[in-house]
Amino acid sequence: MATRIIIVGGVAAGMSAATRLRRLDESAEIVVFERGRHVSFANCGLPYHVGGVIEERSSLLLQTPQSLRSRFALDVRTEQDVTAIDREARTVTARDSRTGTTLTEAYDYLILAMGGTPLQTTPAAGDAPPVVTLRSIEDVDRVTDVLASLPAATAARAVVMGAGFIGLEATENLVRRGLAVTLVQRGAHPLSPLDPEMASPVADELARHGVDLRTGTTVTGLTPTGVTLSDGADITAQLVIDARGIGPAAHLATAAGLRLGPSGGIAVDGHHRTDDPRVFAVGDAAEKTDAVSSEPTLVTMAGLANRHGRAAADVIGWETGHLDAPPAAASPALGTAIVGLFDLTIALVGWSEQRLTAAGRAHRVIHTHPTDHAGYYPGAERMAMKVMVDPDTGLILGAQIVGGRGVDKRIDVIATAMHARLPAVELAQLELAYAPQYASAKDPLNMVGYIADNLASGVTDTLQWHELPAAMAAGATLIDVRSPQEYEGGAIPGSVNIPLDTLRDGVDALPDGDLIVHCQVGQRGHTAARILAQCGRRVRNLDGGYLTWQAGTHATERVGEPASA
Amino acid sequence: MATRIIIVGGVAAGMSAATRLRRLDESAEIVVFERGRHVSFANCGLPYHVGGVIEERSSLLLQTPQSLRSRFALDVRTEQDVTAIDREARTVTARDSRTGTTLTEAYDYLILAMGGTPLQTTPAAGDAPPVVTLRSIEDVDRVTDVLASLPAATAARAVVMGAGFIGLEATENLVRRGLAVTLVQRGAHPLSPLDPEMASPVADELARHGVDLRTGTTVTGLTPTGVTLSDGADITAQLVIDARGIGPAAHLATAAGLRLGPSGGIAVDGHHRTDDPRVFAVGDAAEKTDAVSSEPTLVTMAGLANRHGRAAADVIGWETGHLDAPPAAASPALGTAIVGLFDLTIALVGWSEQRLTAAGRAHRVIHTHPTDHAGYYPGAERMAMKVMVDPDTGLILGAQIVGGRGVDKRIDVIATAMHARLPAVELAQLELAYAPQYASAKDPLNMVGYIADNLASGVTDTLQWHELPAAMAAGATLIDVRSPQEYEGGAIPGSVNIPLDTLRDGVDALPDGDLIVHCQVGQRGHTAARILAQCGRRVRNLDGGYLTWQAGTHATERVGEPASA
């Protein structure tokens, strides 16, 4: 008899499961229930259709129920809200949201792929600007309607709630459409997973494009003309985008008595199986295992959703005799992510320094400011790179990169290295492709590996930007080894300028006590530190140099500013 | 007493060794002998200065003896030709090429970093066009002089000997300067490390830019007006660039009785030490260990040269008490490489299919044609990707990628995976950064992992383009599952068109015997093969689809053409 599989949710995870199941089992009955009007749409493209980058709405619709029927013989039913699971009877009940009729369907296997749901309720008022999320085609249609109804987009104002990935994408695309945007962020800086000094260029980029960023505040209410913030400010807006965090859409699982994990997501084993052996959960509604902590976590990324959907199909395929071997267990989740913001690319993987510190987990930090390709070839762009390393195992715990070209490449290599559990020092050994328009003979990641090696072997000792004030207060002398021109262009208060190339001659004249050296990005500082250390001085190199110190200090100053200027 | 280290060769490997040694040991005496007039120059940038991309000649000069003295206290001596090593006395003899005087210097450690040397002698004649290599600043100066002396670059013609990396870069840059270029390649296609179907787009790109590519021939002599080829053709040229292969510059080591390896390079252990414990060899003159075969090999890449130079310094630093632990042994060499050619990027790592076949080494081949980022986001560019997999270990043996944006990223991830010895199926598990302008939710490398998994598990069986003629001759039926429009636009001779979406209805009407399916790139073919296999048919999917077949067939046809049209 044909295996009957019901899938709840027809976007990334659900549709990956459905199509893989069909390829494994031509005879299976595969039914997909989707709450919305569309399946398999390009949800990561929605903000870009708002901005007109993706011109055609049809480009977002990757598949239709018809195309999925003809190619994969799938029974895809849209506008069907699955309201209950009877695990004993192995049935689900779905309600047709157009007609209100319900029907009950039996399954042999059930795959839950409901995705995420907003964590916070949207403030509502009668005569107020529309508040729209950016999670479905219907959402985008609504934004398009609102924008079309505005007298002139260039005079229009929007508020975006939440400066996470989608909030930044929404902001960029509304600016692209000519709107004045206020971006409201509860946290101290945009993109909370970043550390403050790494978020500093993000705030700069927003300012450079005229975005009114309000941090440390939230939208508390709607008014007839806009929104009110928790700090008391009133912001005029004709459109409000709700891009605040989402949580797992686990209500259906809860109601069915399936176990949830500590994160609030549906608990699953390494094969995406819930505590009911006939029920799988994948995508944003399901828990993952964190690669850094090995604890259950939530990671809402399309790549993982697709991968886990397919993997659940493999488990079913194996159990029903359509695969010869069981699939491997899921790899722990790294949380690799990337976002474009105007001319900036921001990418991250693993844990931040803040998170490691909060968790009491030992770590070393490395900041660098390499160019994407050889400096002697035109067009090299500088990026800021940060890598966290476990001092005990030497493993990479996380990384953040902010820059332009070449950011995506480096985060992918780091994610691969983390997946493979390569120690950070092994980055030095990677044989990455080099020609001057693509990279440097010593790639930025090779350099991170060398720094990790120098830290691990004690060849160098570094100090973080946020540790500098205490060190100087304790009497350390800060030596700026950059050129006099660089020093005059902007220097750290209290530093003395001794250019690297004259340092050997001036060692004897240095004051007693601890020394800290710094240059622009950290490299000359390293050579300076080596010279001084071999003269018997206790010396640390300011990690990431002036640029990291400056970014961190700006971030600190921004937090100090009143939230509404 | 200070350790005295002599380094022969002051470019990539030598200078990396020298600067690292200084950072480890402030008191060491470090002498660098360089044969040429310049040290630490950007040798990979030379062709781009010829083309005017790197406008300033000074951009190529990264360091000078003066700057290296003031920053690193190095004793750098240019135009010094080291003529002999006395290993017993631990001295080298160097000849000043300006004055002809010689001097002898003692060492505690000697690092040989002489680089490569042309393998073939340049044909010469009295009244003939100048023949120039592109290996030094002096070479580039000479080319600049020749170009300046030509009446009008647009009427000028050049011959480039050798269509390897530098030959392609030279060709592009001469075309950029307006010259008509004939590119002469001994092998059957440009870039010999590529397999023929992967080199096909390279030949197309050369043709698209008006380059006269002559394969299967060599320059046998110079004439007053140009060159003569081995196939008898006479080519007019006012300039000849010799970009043919180089070999290790090992004569000094040979004369000193140091052991050479089977490749002809200086034999070294995992710590870059020759059979004389006081003598190290790094860079293009030294052997590496091949990552695929574990045999000694030559890999002439700047990244390895830099890395091994630094590593040799670490060994000396450890032996002289400046490092607490011995450095790790060198990783085997993958031979990762990349080259830009007009709008194309070509990258490779590890072994080719041809090389694996010639060595009798079992392998699976995977061809794909992904776009660099999500197809629904504007500007997606298609690339051709090929990955070779060991069927026994599952390890990646090599990869080749030809396309535009995103090629460098994917080769670096594969190189990282190979370094980490991740099996090919693990590529499916990599959590690579996804937003639609950077990648796809299922990255091209994830897809390669899935295909590797399907091949390993027997879910799919594929056929290579070069195996198709024999399979069809043996009676297999070839089914093109693309749309009728695609079929009419160009199809494989002998194929029948049954679009995928109608395949289920037509299964009963198919002829008996073996089936082969294909689509444009391989993905629909996979679904078709699954449908047919589950109907009990023996079926194979043509790997890489029509695009790979077309590229391979074009390559075969080109070889069949007379070398001079």
Side-chain angles (χ1 to χ4, degrees):
Chain A
M1 223 186 80
T3 309
R4 189 170 168 82
I5 299 132
I6 290 181
I7 299 170
V8 186
V11 191
M15 208 45 76
S16 288
T19 52
R20 174 66 172 174
L21 274 167
R22 173 57 70 224
R23 287 193 300 270
L24 291 179
D25 182 359
E26 185 65 16
S27 67
E29 292 174 24
I30 306 170
V31 182
V32 181
F33 288 110
E34 167 57 40
R35 191 178 183 172
R37 239 173 289 167
H38 303 279
V39 287
S40 200
F41 60 89
N43 44 4
C44 299
L46 300 177
Y48 297 96
H49 183 54
V50 168
V53 176
I54 299 173
E55 287 183 32
E56 296 300 328
R57 179 178 180 277
S58 60
S59 303
L60 300 171
L61 302 169
L62 307 180
Q63 295 284 353
T64 64
Q66 295 70 40
S67 71
L68 290 161
R69 174 169 293 282
S70 55
R71 178 147 307 171
F72 294 104
L74 300 179
D75 180 358
V76 177
R77 309 185 192 173
T78 54
E79 299 183 74
Q80 299 288 327
D81 201 3
V82 173
T83 53
I85 303 167
D86 183 336
R87 297 199 284 127
E88 202 125 333
R90 286 195 200 141
T91 61
V92 300
T93 301
R95 181 180 170 281
D96 187 308
S97 58
R98 291 157 302 192
T99 63
T101 56
T102 62
L103 87 173
T104 296
E105 292 274 3
Y107 65 78
D108 296 309
Y109 289 97
L110 176 64
I111 300 179
L112 301 177
M114 288 91 65
T117 189
L119 281 172
Q120 293 137 307
T121 53
T122 300
D127 186 20
V131 181
V132 191
T133 60
L134 276 184
R135 301 184 44 76
S136 68
I137 298 285
E138 293 86 334
D139 287 340
V140 168
D141 290 344
R142 195 154 162 228
V143 173
T144 304
D145 289 346
V146 172
L147 293 179
S149 74
L150 295 175
T154 48
R157 304 189 58 88
V159 162
V160 174
M161 296 193 280
F165 296 102
I166 295 170
L168 291 183
E169 290 175 340
T171 297
E172 171 182 306
N173 281 288
L174 291 171
V175 168
R176 196 172 266 141
R177 288 290 297 263
L179 280 82
V181 179
T182 296
L183 178 57
V184 180
Q185 168 78 333
R186 179 198 294 268
H189 57 71
L191 279 180
S192 300
L194 290 181
D195 290 315
E197 82 283 11
M198 300 303 286
S200 209
V202 181
D204 292 343
E205 187 74 356
L206 288 166
R208 204 163 72 83
H209 288 84
V211 175
D212 172 30
L213 172 66
R214 309 285 180 114
T215 55
T217 187
T218 57
V219 172
T220 48
L222 297 181
T223 70
T225 58
V227 305
T228 305
L229 303 187
S230 60
D231 59 18
D234 282 313
I235 312 283
T236 305
Q238 289 85 51
L239 171 65
V240 179
I241 301 284
D242 184 355
R244 294 172 304 172
I246 61 156
H251 55 281
L252 194 60
T254 313
L258 291 166
R259 191 166 73 81
L260 300 196
S263 70
I266 305 170
V268 291
D269 66 13
H271 289 96
H272 315 286
R273 205 188 300 256
T274 67
D275 57 346
D276 181 331
R278 294 294 183 135
V279 184
F280 294 78
V282 289
D284 293 355
E287 278 192 334
K288 280 88 188 153
T289 301
D290 186 280
V292 172
S293 69
S294 304
E295 299 288 326
T297 189
L298 293 170
V299 184
T300 56
M301 292 292 160
L304 286 175
N306 280 291
R307 178 172 313 133
H308 294 168
R310 188 180 186 281
D314 277 357
V315 177
I316 295 170
W318 178 58
E319 286 194 355
T320 55
H322 295 87
L323 275 178
D324 291 338
S331 304
L334 298 169
T336 318
I338 192 165
V339 62
L341 178 71
F342 303 110
D343 299 327
L344 220 54
T345 293
I346 306 128
L348 54 93
V349 60
W351 284 29
S352 66
E353 180 184 1
Q354 286 187 328
R355 190 171 169 190
L356 291 163
T357 302
R361 181 125 183 209
H363 57 276
R364 289 200 185 106
V365 174
I366 297 168
H367 287 92
T368 62
H369 299 272
T371 53
D372 68 301
H373 65 251
Y376 65 79
Y377 191 95
E381 295 180 9
R382 197 184 278 286
M383 64 184 87
M385 188 181 281
K386 178 175 186 176
V387 178
M388 272 61 66
V389 179
D390 187 315
D392 301 318
T393 62
L395 294 177
I396 304 165
L397 298 172
Q400 301 168 26
I401 316 181
V402 182
R405 203 177 22 227
V407 167
D408 59 333
K409 174 163 76 172
R410 272 62 181 222
I411 209 75
D412 276 1
V413 171
I414 294 177
T416 304
M418 288 180 73
H419 176 93
R421 299 183 66 79
L422 287 185
V425 297
E426 280 282 308
L427 293 177
Q429 304 305 323
L430 295 181
E431 212 178 315
L432 303 171
Y434 166 57
Q437 64 272 56
Y438 301 101
S440 294
K442 288 173 185 151
D443 189 85
L445 295 176
N446 296 145
M447 294 306 290
V448 168
Y450 285 137
I451 297 170
D453 182 45
N454 283 330
L455 287 168
S457 66
V459 165
T460 199
D461 192 6
T462 57
L463 183 84
Q464 293 303 312
W465 64 274
H466 52 76
E467 297 169 331
L468 183 64
M472 289 180 74
T477 301
L478 178 63
I479 305 170
D480 183 340
V481 302
R482 298 176 303 164
S483 70
Q485 294 89 321
E486 289 173 287
Y487 185 75
E488 279 156 32
I492 301 178
S495 63
V496 294
N497 182 219
I498 308 178
L500 173 57
D501 292 353
T502 66
L503 185 63
R504 283 185 181 85
D505 303 327
V507 172
D508 295 339
L510 292 174
D512 289 340
D514 282 5
L515 301 177
I516 299 165
V517 290
H518 86 86
C519 62
Q520 187 75 356
V521 300
Q523 205 163 8
R524 282 173 289 172
H526 171 56
T527 298
R530 289 300 303 159
I531 292 171
L532 295 171
Q534 293 188 66
C535 297
R537 300 302 303 257
R538 187 176 133 77
V539 58
R540 283 172 292 175
N541 182 23
L542 182 64
D543 187 48
Y546 183 75
L547 290 182
T548 295
W549 174 85
Q550 191 179 40
T553 304
H554 281 186
T556 308
E557 286 163 3
R558 275 197 199 93
V559 174
E561 286 169 9
S564 67
Chain B
M1 223 186 78
T3 309
R4 190 169 167 82
I5 300 133
I6 290 181
I7 299 170
V8 185
V11 193
M15 208 45 76
S16 288
T19 53
R20 174 67 173 174
L21 273 167
R22 172 59 68 223
R23 288 193 300 270
L24 292 179
D25 184 358
E26 186 64 16
S27 68
E29 292 175 25
I30 306 170
V31 182
V32 180
F33 288 109
E34 166 58 40
R35 192 178 181 173
R37 239 173 289 168
H38 303 279
V39 287
S40 200
F41 61 89
N43 44 4
C44 299
L46 300 177
Y48 297 97
H49 183 55
V50 168
V53 176
I54 299 173
E55 287 183 31
E56 297 300 327
R57 178 180 181 276
S58 60
S59 303
L60 300 172
L61 302 171
L62 308 179
Q63 297 284 353
T64 63
Q66 294 70 37
S67 71
L68 290 162
R69 173 169 294 282
S70 54
R71 178 147 307 171
F72 295 103
L74 299 179
D75 180 359
V76 177
R77 309 185 191 173
T78 55
E79 299 183 73
Q80 300 289 326
D81 202 2
V82 173
T83 53
I85 303 166
D86 184 335
R87 296 199 284 127
E88 201 124 334
R90 286 194 200 139
T91 61
V92 301
T93 301
R95 181 181 168 283
D96 187 309
S97 58
R98 291 157 302 193
T99 63
T101 55
T102 63
L103 87 172
T104 297
E105 292 273 5
Y107 64 79
D108 295 310
Y109 289 97
L110 176 65
I111 301 178
L112 301 177
M114 289 90 65
T117 189
L119 281 172
Q120 294 138 307
T121 52
T122 300
D127 185 19
V131 181
V132 190
T133 60
L134 276 185
R135 301 185 43 77
S136 68
I137 299 284
E138 292 86 336
D139 287 341
V140 169
D141 290 344
R142 195 155 162 227
V143 173
T144 303
D145 290 346
V146 172
L147 292 179
S149 74
L150 295 175
T154 48
R157 303 190 60 89
V159 163
V160 175
M161 297 194 280
F165 296 103
I166 295 170
L168 291 182
E169 290 175 342
T171 297
E172 173 184 304
N173 281 288
L174 291 172
V175 169
R176 196 172 266 141
R177 289 290 299 263
L179 279 83
V181 179
T182 296
L183 177 57
V184 180
Q185 167 78 333
R186 178 198 295 264
H189 56 73
L191 278 179
S192 300
L194 290 181
D195 290 316
E197 80 284 12
M198 301 303 287
S200 209
V202 181
D204 292 343
E205 187 74 357
L206 288 166
R208 205 163 71 83
H209 288 84
V211 175
D212 172 31
L213 172 67
R214 309 286 181 111
T215 55
T217 187
T218 57
V219 172
T220 48
L222 297 181
T223 69
T225 59
V227 305
T228 304
L229 303 186
S230 60
D231 59 18
D234 282 313
I235 312 283
T236 306
Q238 288 86 50
L239 170 66
V240 179
I241 301 283
D242 184 355
R244 294 172 304 174
I246 62 156
H251 54 282
L252 194 59
T254 313
L258 291 166
R259 190 167 74 81
L260 300 196
S263 70
I266 305 171
V268 292
D269 66 13
H271 289 95
H272 314 287
R273 205 187 300 256
T274 67
D275 57 347
D276 180 332
R278 295 292 184 138
V279 184
F280 294 79
V282 288
D284 293 356
E287 279 192 334
K288 281 88 189 154
T289 300
D290 186 280
V292 172
S293 69
S294 305
E295 299 288 326
T297 189
L298 293 171
V299 184
T300 56
M301 292 291 160
L304 286 175
N306 279 289
R307 177 171 315 135
H308 294 168
R310 189 181 185 281
D314 277 357
V315 177
I316 295 171
W318 177 59
E319 285 194 355
T320 55
H322 295 87
L323 276 178
D324 291 339
S331 304
L334 298 169
T336 317
I338 193 165
V339 64
L341 178 70
F342 303 111
D343 299 328
L344 220 55
T345 294
I346 306 128
L348 55 92
V349 60
W351 284 29
S352 66
E353 181 183 1
Q354 286 188 327
R355 189 170 171 193
L356 290 163
T357 302
R361 183 127 181 207
H363 58 276
R364 288 199 186 106
V365 174
I366 297 168
H367 286 93
T368 63
H369 299 271
T371 54
D372 69 300
H373 66 249
Y376 65 80
Y377 191 97
E381 294 180 9
R382 198 183 278 287
M383 65 183 88
M385 189 181 280
K386 178 175 187 177
V387 178
M388 273 59 68
V389 179
D390 187 315
D392 302 317
T393 63
L395 294 177
I396 304 164
L397 297 172
Q400 300 168 28
I401 316 180
V402 182
R405 203 178 21 228
V407 167
D408 59 335
K409 175 162 76 172
R410 273 64 183 219
I411 209 74
D412 275 1
V413 171
I414 294 178
T416 304
M418 289 180 73
H419 176 92
R421 298 183 66 79
L422 287 185
V425 297
E426 281 282 307
L427 293 177
Q429 305 305 322
L430 295 182
E431 213 178 314
L432 304 171
Y434 165 58
Q437 64 272 53
Y438 302 100
S440 294
K442 288 174 185 148
D443 190 84
L445 295 177
N446 297 144
M447 295 304 291
V448 168
Y450 285 137
I451 297 170
D453 181 46
N454 283 331
L455 288 168
S457 66
V459 165
T460 198
D461 191 7
T462 58
L463 183 84
Q464 293 303 311
W465 64 273
H466 52 75
E467 298 169 330
L468 183 65
M472 291 181 73
T477 301
L478 178 63
I479 306 170
D480 182 339
V481 302
R482 297 177 302 164
S483 70
Q485 294 89 319
E486 289 173 285
Y487 185 76
E488 279 157 30
I492 301 177
S495 63
V496 294
N497 182 218
I498 308 178
L500 173 57
D501 293 351
T502 66
L503 184 63
R504 284 185 181 86
D505 303 328
V507 172
D508 294 341
L510 291 174
D512 290 339
D514 283 4
L515 301 176
I516 299 165
V517 291
H518 86 86
C519 62
Q520 188 73 358
V521 300
Q523 205 163 8
R524 282 172 290 172
H526 172 56
T527 297
R530 289 299 303 158
I531 292 171
L532 295 170
Q534 293 188 65
C535 295
R537 300 301 302 259
R538 185 175 134 76
V539 57
R540 284 172 291 175
N541 183 23
L542 183 63
D543 186 49
Y546 184 74
L547 290 183
T548 295
W549 175 85
Q550 191 179 41
T553 304
H554 281 185
T556 309
E557 285 164 3
R558 274 197 201 92
V559 174
E561 286 168 9
S564 68

